[in-house]
Coordinates of all heavy atoms in Angstrom, one line a residue:
R31 N 3.0 -9.2 -13.6 CA 3.5 -8.7 -12.4 C 2.6 -7.5 -11.9 O 2.0 -6.9 -12.7 CB 4.9 -8.3 -12.5 CG 5.9 -9.4 -12.8 CD 7.3 -8.9 -13.0 NE 8.2 -10.0 -13.3 CZ 9.5 -9.9 -13.6 NH1 10.0 -8.7 -13.7 NH2 10.2 -11.0 -14.0
G32 N 2.6 -7.3 -10.6 CA 1.8 -6.2 -10.1 C 1.9 -6.2 -8.6 O 2.7 -6.7 -8.0
L33 N 0.9 -5.4 -8.0 CA 0.8 -5.2 -6.6 C -0.6 -5.6 -6.2 O -1.6 -5.3 -6.9 CB 1.1 -3.8 -6.2 CG 2.6 -3.3 -6.2 CD1 2.6 -1.9 -5.7 CD2 3.4 -4.3 -5.3
R34 N -0.7 -6.1 -5.0 CA -2.1 -6.3 -4.4 C -2.0 -5.7 -3.0 O -1.1 -6.0 -2.2 CB -2.3 -7.8 -4.3 CG -3.7 -8.2 -3.6 CD -3.9 -9.6 -3.6 NE -3.0 -10.4 -2.7 CZ -3.2 -11.5 -2.1 NH1 -4.4 -12.1 -2.3 NH2 -2.4 -12.1 -1.4
L35 N -3.0 -4.9 -2.6 CA -3.0 -4.4 -1.3 C -3.7 -5.3 -0.3 O -4.8 -5.8 -0.6 CB -3.8 -3.0 -1.3 CG -3.1 -1.8 -2.0 CD1 -3.9 -0.6 -1.6 CD2 -1.7 -1.7 -1.6
L36 N -3.0 -5.6 0.8 CA -3.6 -6.4 1.8 C -4.4 -5.7 2.9 O -5.3 -6.1 3.5 CB -2.5 -7.2 2.5 CG -1.6 -8.1 1.6 CD1 -0.6 -8.9 2.4 CD2 -2.5 -9.0 0.7
A37 N -4.0 -4.4 3.1 CA -4.6 -3.5 4.0 C -4.1 -2.1 3.8 O -3.0 -1.9 3.4 CB -4.3 -4.0 5.5
S38 N -5.0 -1.2 4.2 CA -4.6 0.2 4.1 C -5.4 1.1 5.1 O -6.4 0.7 5.5 CB -4.8 0.8 2.6 OG -6.2 0.8 2.4
S39 N -4.8 2.2 5.3 CA -5.4 3.2 6.3 C -5.0 4.6 5.9 O -3.9 4.8 5.5 CB -5.0 2.8 7.8 OG -5.6 3.7 8.7
C40 N -5.9 5.5 6.1 CA -5.6 6.9 5.9 C -6.2 7.8 7.0 O -7.2 8.5 6.7 CB -6.1 7.4 4.5 SG -5.4 9.0 4.0
P41 N -5.7 7.7 8.2 CA -6.3 8.4 9.3 C -6.3 9.9 9.1 O -5.3 10.5 8.8 CB -5.4 8.0 10.5 CG -4.2 7.5 9.9 CD -4.5 6.9 8.6
Q42 N -7.5 10.5 9.3 CA -7.7 12.0 9.2 C -7.3 12.5 7.9 O -7.1 13.8 7.7 CB -6.9 12.7 10.3 CG -7.4 12.3 11.7 CD -6.6 13.0 12.8 OE1 -5.4 13.2 12.7 NE2 -7.3 13.2 13.9
N43 N -7.2 11.7 6.8 CA -6.8 12.1 5.5 C -5.5 12.9 5.5 O -5.3 13.8 4.7 CB -8.0 13.0 4.9 CG -9.1 12.2 4.5 OD1 -9.0 11.1 3.9 ND2 -10.3 12.6 4.8
R44 N -4.6 12.5 6.3 CA -3.3 13.2 6.3 C -2.1 12.3 5.9 O -1.2 12.8 5.2 CB -3.0 13.7 7.8 CG -3.9 14.7 8.2 CD -3.6 15.3 9.6 NE -4.4 16.3 10.0 CZ -4.4 16.9 11.2 NH1 -3.5 16.5 12.1 NH2 -5.2 17.9 11.5
T45 N -2.2 11.0 6.3 CA -1.1 10.1 5.9 C -1.7 8.8 5.5 O -2.6 8.2 6.3 CB -0.1 9.9 7.0 OG1 0.4 11.2 7.4 CG2 1.1 9.1 6.4
Y46 N -1.4 8.2 4.4 CA -1.9 6.9 3.9 C -0.8 5.9 4.1 O 0.4 6.1 3.8 CB -2.2 7.1 2.4 CG -2.5 5.8 1.7 CD1 -3.9 5.3 1.6 CD2 -1.6 5.0 1.1 CE1 -4.2 4.2 0.9 CE2 -1.9 3.9 0.3 CZ -3.2 3.5 0.3 OH -3.6 2.3 -0.4
Y47 N -1.2 4.8 4.7 CA -0.3 3.6 5.0 C -0.9 2.4 4.3 O -2.2 2.2 4.4 CB -0.1 3.3 6.5 CG 0.5 4.5 7.2 CD1 -0.3 5.4 7.9 CD2 1.9 4.7 7.3 CE1 0.3 6.4 8.7 CE2 2.5 5.7 8.0 CZ 1.6 6.6 8.7 OH 2.2 7.6 9.4
A48 N -0.1 1.5 3.7 CA -0.7 0.3 3.1 C 0.4 -0.8 3.1 O 1.6 -0.5 3.1 CB -1.1 0.6 1.6
A49 N -0.1 -2.0 3.2 CA 0.8 -3.2 3.1 C 0.5 -3.7 1.7 O -0.6 -4.1 1.4 CB 0.4 -4.3 4.1
A50 N 1.5 -3.7 0.9 CA 1.4 -4.0 -0.6 C 2.2 -5.3 -0.8 O 3.4 -5.5 -0.4 CB 1.9 -2.9 -1.5
Q51 N 1.6 -6.3 -1.5 CA 2.2 -7.5 -1.8 C 2.6 -7.6 -3.3 O 1.8 -7.3 -4.1 CB 1.3 -8.7 -1.5 CG 2.0 -10.1 -1.7 CD 1.1 -11.2 -1.1 OE1 -0.1 -11.2 -1.3 NE2 1.8 -12.2 -0.6
V52 N 3.9 -7.9 -3.5 CA 4.3 -8.1 -4.9 C 3.8 -9.3 -5.4 O 3.9 -10.4 -4.8 CB 5.9 -8.1 -4.9 CG1 6.4 -8.4 -6.3 CG2 6.4 -6.8 -4.4
M53 N 3.2 -9.3 -6.7 CA 2.6 -10.5 -7.3 C 3.3 -10.8 -8.6 O 3.6 -9.9 -9.4 CB 1.1 -10.2 -7.6 CG 0.3 -9.8 -6.4 SD 0.1 -11.2 -5.2 CE -0.8 -12.4 -6.1
E54 N 3.6 -12.1 -8.7 CA 4.2 -12.6 -10.0 C 3.5 -13.8 -10.5 O 3.5 -14.8 -9.8 CB 5.8 -12.9 -9.8 CG 6.6 -11.6 -9.5 CD 8.1 -12.0 -9.4 OE1 8.4 -13.1 -9.7 OE2 8.9 -11.1 -9.0
D55 N 2.9 -13.7 -11.6 CA 2.1 -14.8 -12.2 C 1.1 -15.4 -11.2 O 0.9 -16.6 -11.1 CB 3.0 -15.9 -12.7 CG 3.8 -15.4 -13.9 OD1 3.3 -14.6 -14.7 OD2 5.0 -15.8 -14.1
G56 N 0.5 -14.5 -10.5 CA -0.6 -14.9 -9.5 C 0.0 -15.4 -8.2 O -0.8 -15.8 -7.3
V57 N 1.3 -15.4 -8.0 CA 1.9 -15.9 -6.8 C 2.3 -14.7 -5.9 O 3.0 -13.8 -6.4 CB 3.1 -16.8 -7.0 CG1 3.7 -17.3 -5.7 CG2 2.6 -18.0 -7.9
G58 N 1.9 -14.7 -4.7 CA 2.3 -13.6 -3.8 C 3.7 -13.7 -3.3 O 4.2 -14.8 -2.9
K59 N 4.4 -12.6 -3.4 CA 5.8 -12.5 -2.9 C 6.0 -11.6 -1.7 O 5.1 -11.7 -0.8 CB 6.7 -12.0 -4.1 CG 6.6 -12.8 -5.3 CD 7.2 -14.2 -5.2 CE 7.2 -15.0 -6.5 NZ 7.9 -16.3 -6.4
E60 N 7.0 -10.8 -1.6 CA 7.2 -10.0 -0.5 C 6.1 -9.0 -0.2 O 5.4 -8.6 -1.1 CB 8.5 -9.2 -0.6 CG 8.5 -8.2 -1.7 CD 9.7 -7.3 -1.7 OE1 10.0 -6.7 -0.7 OE2 10.3 -7.1 -2.8
V61 N 5.9 -8.6 1.0 CA 5.0 -7.6 1.4 C 5.7 -6.4 2.0 O 6.5 -6.6 3.0 CB 3.9 -8.1 2.5 CG1 2.9 -7.0 2.8 CG2 3.2 -9.3 1.9
F62 N 5.6 -5.2 1.5 CA 6.2 -4.0 1.9 C 5.2 -2.9 2.2 O 4.1 -3.0 1.8 CB 7.3 -3.6 1.0 CG 6.8 -3.1 -0.3 CD1 6.6 -1.7 -0.5 CD2 6.4 -3.9 -1.4 CE1 6.0 -1.2 -1.7 CE2 5.9 -3.5 -2.6 CZ 5.7 -2.1 -2.7
A63 N 5.7 -1.9 2.9 CA 4.8 -0.7 3.3 C 4.9 0.4 2.3 O 6.0 0.8 1.8 CB 5.1 -0.3 4.6
I64 N 3.8 0.9 1.9 CA 3.7 2.1 1.1 C 3.2 3.3 2.1 O 2.3 3.1 2.9 CB 2.7 2.1 0.0 CG1 3.2 1.0 -1.1 CG2 2.5 3.4 -0.7 CD1 2.2 0.6 -2.2
V65 N 3.8 4.4 1.9 CA 3.5 5.6 2.8 C 3.3 6.8 1.9 O 4.1 7.1 1.0 CB 4.6 5.9 3.8 CG1 4.1 7.1 4.6 CG2 4.9 4.7 4.6
C66 N 2.1 7.5 2.0 CA 1.9 8.7 1.2 C 1.5 9.8 2.1 O 0.6 9.7 3.0 CB 0.7 8.5 0.2 SG 1.0 7.2 -1.0
K67 N 2.2 10.9 1.9 CA 1.7 12.2 2.5 C 0.5 12.6 1.7 O 0.5 12.6 0.5 CB 2.8 13.2 2.5 CG 4.0 12.8 3.4 CD 5.1 13.9 3.3 CE 4.7 15.1 4.0 NZ 6.0 16.1 4.0
V68 N -0.6 13.1 2.4 CA -1.8 13.4 1.7 C -2.3 14.8 2.0 O -2.2 15.3 3.1 CB -2.9 12.4 2.2 CG1 -4.3 12.8 1.6 CG2 -2.6 11.0 1.8
L69 N -2.8 15.4 0.9 CA -3.4 16.7 1.0 C -4.9 16.5 0.6 O -5.1 16.0 -0.5 CB -2.8 17.7 0.0 CG -3.6 19.0 -0.3 CD1 -3.6 19.9 1.0 CD2 -3.0 19.8 -1.4
W70 N -5.8 16.8 1.5 CA -7.2 16.6 1.2 C -8.0 17.8 1.6 O -8.2 18.2 2.8 CB -7.7 15.4 2.0 CG -9.2 15.0 1.8 CD1 -10.2 15.2 2.7 CD2 -9.8 14.6 0.5 NE1 -11.4 14.8 2.1 CE2 -11.1 14.4 0.8 CE3 -9.2 14.3 -0.7 CZ2 -12.0 14.0 -0.2 CZ3 -10.1 13.9 -1.7 CH2 -11.5 13.7 -1.5

């Protein structure tokens, strides 16, 4: 099991957004958003 990123963006190094797909035995499942506040 794991995660695969389909796309990500970090405009102005302030906030990171990503579409992450849940993977199980090599099969893609749900895709959800990850959000990170960023200090750079």
Side-chain angles (χ1 to χ4, degrees):
R31 298 178 180 174
L33 285 182
R34 179 179 67 154
L35 289 192
L36 304 183
S38 67
S39 178
C40 191
Q42 300 179 326
N43 286 317
R44 292 182 179 177
T45 308
Y46 172 89
Y47 299 98
Q51 184 171 39
V52 176
M53 302 296 293
E54 293 186 8
D55 292 327
V57 178
K59 302 292 185 178
E60 67 171 308
V61 180
F62 67 96
I64 294 173
V65 181
C66 297
K67 297 176 70 172
V68 172
L69 166 69
W70 181 248

